[in-house]
Amino acid sequence: MHKTLRLILGDQLNNSHSWFSEINPDTTYVLMEIKTETDYASHHIQKVVGFFAAMRQFANELSTLGHNVIYFDFEHFDNKHNFIDNILLLVEKLQITQFEYQLPDEYRVDEIIKSLIKLLNIPSKSFDSEHFFTSINEFGEIFMGKKTYLMESFYRKMRQKHNILMTGNEPLTGKWNYDEDNRKKLPNKHYITPPLTFQNNVNEIVSLIKRKNIKTIGNIDASNFIWPINRTQSLDLLDFFVKECLPNFGTYQDAMTPHEWSLYHSRLSFSLNTKMISPHEVIEKAVEAWQNENLKIEYNQLEGFVRQILGWREYMRGIYWHTMPTFAQLNFFENTRNLPSWYWTGNTKMNCLKHSIQQSLNYAYAHHIQRLMITGNFATLAGIHPDEVDKWYLGIYIDAIEWVEITNTRGMSQFADGGIIGSKPYTSSASYIHKMSHYCGTCYYNKNLKVEDKACPFNSLYWHFHHKNESKLKQNPRIGMIYNTWNKMEENTKIAILNKAEEYLNKIEEL
Ligand code: FAD
Ligand code: SF4
């Protein structure tokens, strides 16, 4: 008799997958809470809890529907705490004749499954995860023979291929990109509807984490866990987003303030990355909301959102599979410095960093510009080793899974890829941070000063970074202006700025 074992990974909680369209008594599904997954990074406690809670609910739903499900919780007596030994054990115990799995999103897990398959003496079969718009190889096909991988061309191809916001082969409004309308600072005294959060009771999982000494970072309210842990909650969050946030999403997409932690962002990344909801339905729902005249959503808000999901998210996945494992080794600037320890506590006098980090520790969340232009920007300017930066981003965010974390961190934010993803490093001095946020007003440092006492560290570090990396960057046509300005400065001014930056770097732990 044919007996199949199907592995469901923690980020494959897709109940619309064709696997589940029929109930087969000879098929067993397995999900597992294992040490190799809790220990490969210092995860935020909300990330571990979020994954375990969502996996448990998913397993229960499948069982209720009548599927055979084995759930290895962390303390299950048979749990060997790694994929390979657990699968080998089940294959033997259940006399399995075929092993099946959905293609993993992470290179690391893909390698583990390849090793497992070599050890199995039964046939195995892979399936698409039926979640993304693009297949793993599609990116390579789109950019075949091209020297650069422009996100904009990728995005336009996706719009055309999937007929999203199109009329025939042309963009619906005649214009592809509304980015220039989408860069406003939050006005003072601007009211934002409080974010929809959930009150999930996760005391049991939090006790487990403590009991088993699973090393985590960050804070949690175990009686009111705020993140969606099932499809129903994910859909509620999507519904809240399109009604309450989408009308202002694009306009304030880049804005930052110490008073709000999620502004008009969707906070759908955890639901999306665990596949509790699909990018197709998220886009459909956003388009539907825009078509609903009562909601009065302008087109630039919608396009900005669609660009993130259909553009950036699929593009990052394409880059990941096209460039791994090399991508994880790239260190274009040959940086060596350690990440300051205050990244793990938020104990710094720099207000922008303090708020972005403390918020990340409290919610396992920061929005894109906080990740890119505050924590990422500082790490780039200070010359932190990209491995250190990756480790931090991979741990601290609830949505951090390597395919989307490393491409954003090592690529977009740190420019450690030398320009595979971005055409120039995303760096700035205090002027951009002040332009887009309300952090500087109450900061210990002075945003207007470069070299004086209490001068904002971003100001001298910005020039120090460009000076230090001139040979690597000066040919970049998008950076020429910066070197023109630098070269026009008095020699004494330049020396004072570089000295100030060195002073700050030497006492980076005290900043
Ligand atoms: P929204 O602002 O509401 O955007 C909607 C959706 O678009 C997101 O849920 C996400 O799925 C997608 N999206 C937006 N920007 C990107 C992007 N650059 N790449 C891929 N998808 C995008 N995203 C992750 O999902 N996991 C990560 O580990 C991660 N690490 C990051 C690290 C750095 C240094 C930076 C700069 C960005 C990172 N991002 C990551 C991308 C982005 O910041 C998050 O997707 C976003 O902040 C999640 O919040 P949201 O759901 O409220 O997003
Ligand atoms: Fe950040 Fe400098 Fe502004 Fe302070 S003054 S909040 S350190 S940019």
Side-chain angles (χ1 to χ4, degrees):
M1 205 205 340
H2 205 58
K3 286 185 89 184
T4 302
L5 180 67
R6 287 178 164 173
L7 171 66
I8 301 174
L9 299 170
D11 63 352
Q12 294 177 338
L13 311 181
N14 173 6
N15 75 355
S16 312
H17 196 279
S18 52
W19 268 5
F20 310 119
S21 56
E22 60 182 44
I23 291 162
N24 185 341
D26 295 322
T27 297
T28 301
Y29 293 92
V30 60
L31 293 95
M32 45 183 102
E33 299 172 0
I34 51 181
K35 271 200 189 109
T36 45
E37 292 303 293
T38 54
D39 293 359
Y40 75 83
S42 289
H43 301 290
H44 198 295
I45 187 164
Q46 294 187 35
K47 183 179 172 194
V48 179
V49 166
F51 271 91
F52 283 7
M55 286 164 63
R56 288 176 181 200
Q57 294 232 345
F58 191 73
N60 277 338
E61 281 162 28
L62 291 184
S63 297
T64 310
L65 288 170
H67 295 285
N68 294 328
V69 181
I70 292 184
Y71 193 88
F72 275 177
D73 69 42
F74 209 82
E75 293 177 305
H76 192 287
F77 54 91
D78 270 343
N79 195 343
K80 308 268 183 227
H81 284 286
N82 68 72
F83 288 119
I84 295 184
D85 289 336
N86 280 344
I87 298 287
L88 290 174
L89 176 98
L90 288 174
V91 165
E92 195 186 316
K93 210 168 167 178
L94 305 176
Q95 299 183 324
I96 296 294
T97 56
Q98 169 134 325
F99 171 67
E100 298 184 349
Y101 63 101
Q102 295 174 29
L103 290 171
D105 288 337
E106 286 169 280
Y107 186 84
R108 177 183 64 85
V109 179
D110 195 47
E111 291 290 293
I112 296 172
I113 292 185
K114 280 186 189 141
S115 314
L116 164 68
I117 287 169
K118 283 190 199 140
L119 295 171
L120 286 171
N121 49 13
I122 52 168
S124 57
K125 188 173 172 196
S126 67
F127 290 75
D128 193 274
S129 62
E130 300 175 11
H131 170 83
F132 292 98
F133 280 92
T134 40
S135 69
I136 278 183
N137 295 326
E138 201 171 336
F139 185 86
E141 288 156 18
I142 290 175
F143 287 107
M144 180 125 49
K146 301 259 176 13
K147 284 203 186 99
T148 49
Y149 313 120
L150 271 186
M151 192 320 258
E152 188 63 30
S153 2
F154 174 84
Y155 169 59
R156 291 181 187 188
K157 282 213 161 41
M158 289 297 108
R159 290 260 301 267
Q160 284 166 327
K161 179 170 176 195
H162 298 282
N163 195 22
I164 293 175
L165 307 184
M166 299 296 292
T167 161
N169 225 11
E170 295 302 316
L172 195 58
T173 57
K175 199 172 146 186
W176 290 100
N177 187 325
Y178 284 75
D179 262 1
E180 84 251 22
D181 299 337
N182 291 354
R183 298 205 175 113
K184 301 226 162 45
K185 184 171 182 161
L186 212 62
N188 286 327
K189 298 195 180 148
H190 175 87
Y191 175 77
I192 299 180
T193 311
L196 172 70
T197 54
F198 301 92
Q199 284 81 46
N200 293 305
N201 185 328
V202 291
N203 277 299
E204 199 183 308
I205 301 176
V206 171
S207 309
L208 165 85
I209 287 173
K210 294 207 172 110
R211 206 164 51 243
K212 300 314 277 180
N213 275 327
I214 300 174
K215 193 173 162 263
T216 59
I217 56 167
N219 311 315
I220 191 166
D221 177 351
S223 307
N224 297 291
F225 181 61
I226 60 172
W227 292 98
I229 54 171
N230 53 44
R231 181 164 164 78
T232 308
Q233 291 183 348
S234 302
L235 289 174
D236 286 348
L237 189 59
L238 174 58
D239 194 54
F240 172 85
F241 168 72
V242 297
K243 289 186 183 135
E244 300 292 338
C245 307
L246 187 56
N248 281 305
F249 175 82
T251 310
Y252 298 118
Q253 202 176 345
D254 290 2
M256 295 173 282
T257 165
H259 313 299
E260 305 281 346
W261 65 278
S262 66
L263 294 105
Y264 293 106
H265 291 274
S266 68
R267 293 172 294 116
L268 285 168
S269 48
F270 177 66
S271 298
L272 276 165
N273 294 353
T274 48
K275 305 187 181 61
M276 292 189 286
I277 51 171
S278 81
H280 304 75
E281 67 191 322
V282 169
I283 290 179
E284 262 165 39
K285 186 93 183 171
V287 173
E288 249 173 59
W290 168 69
Q291 284 164 339
N292 178 345
E293 286 175 10
N294 296 331
L295 293 176
K296 296 192 176 63
I297 299 168
E298 288 159 24
Y299 185 77
N300 67 306
Q301 320 290 353
L302 175 69
E303 192 282 317
F305 184 68
V306 169
R307 169 180 296 269
Q308 306 310 316
I309 310 263
L310 184 64
W312 282 109
R313 187 165 185 266
E314 299 281 328
Y315 171 81
M316 290 309 203
R317 176 165 178 267
I319 292 268
Y320 180 76
W321 283 101
H322 196 59
T323 58
M324 281 296 280
T326 323
F327 196 88
Q329 312 296 326
L330 300 175
N331 183 2
F332 180 66
F333 295 123
E334 298 165 77
N335 287 337
T336 53
R337 198 179 301 279
N338 290 337
L339 197 70
S341 56
W342 43 257
Y343 263 76
W344 301 96
T345 61
N347 286 337
T348 164
K349 299 192 281 297
M350 291 180 280
N351 215 22
C352 51
L353 279 152
K354 181 166 81 187
H355 277 283
S356 301
I357 294 169
Q358 282 177 351
Q359 167 190 321
S360 304
L361 291 167
N362 288 337
Y363 299 106
Y365 179 88
H367 72 69
H368 186 67
I369 296 301
Q370 291 174 307
R371 299 186 200 196
L372 186 66
M373 296 311 294
I374 306 293
T375 41
N377 185 9
F378 185 87
T380 311
L381 297 184
I384 310 295
H385 194 294
D387 285 356
E388 291 263 303
V389 189
D390 264 332
K391 232 188 281 169
W392 187 78
Y393 280 100
L394 192 57
I396 199 156
Y397 294 118
I398 186 141
D399 55 30
I401 305 182
E402 192 190 66
W403 66 270
V404 59
E405 175 281 319
I406 201 169
T407 40
N408 271 293
T409 302
R410 201 170 276 255
M412 182 187 253
S413 155
Q414 299 301 292
F415 204 74
D417 63 354
I420 297 174
I421 289 173
S423 52
K424 71 177 182 62
Y426 279 93
T427 53
S428 84
S429 61
S431 67
Y432 171 85
I433 296 174
H434 178 59
K435 190 170 131 214
M436 294 312 304
S437 82
H438 296 139
Y439 292 133
C440 298
T442 49
C443 185
Y444 167 88
Y445 294 103
N446 185 326
K447 67 177 171 30
N448 297 318
L449 304 179
K450 287 193 187 68
V451 296
E452 298 79 349
D453 192 31
K454 296 195 179 173
C456 169
F458 279 87
N459 292 340
S460 52
L461 290 176
Y462 176 80
W463 291 114
H464 183 270
F465 163 81
H466 285 98
H467 172 72
K468 182 174 149 221
N469 296 304
E470 187 166 357
S471 64
K472 292 194 157 100
L473 293 175
K474 72 174 171 211
Q475 306 301 345
N476 186 321
R478 296 198 60 204
I479 306 196
M481 284 283 286
I482 294 173
Y483 286 109
N484 286 346
T485 312
W486 176 241
N487 291 333
K488 278 186 201 143
M489 282 186 207
E490 298 271 342
E491 209 48 36
N492 285 346
T493 312
K494 284 194 201 168
I495 291 169
I497 291 174
L498 295 177
N499 285 345
K500 188 72 187 177
E502 285 296 336
E503 177 197 321
Y504 278 151
L505 289 173
N506 287 337
K507 56 171 189 184
I508 196 164
E509 287 291 341
E510 294 151 42
L511 288 181

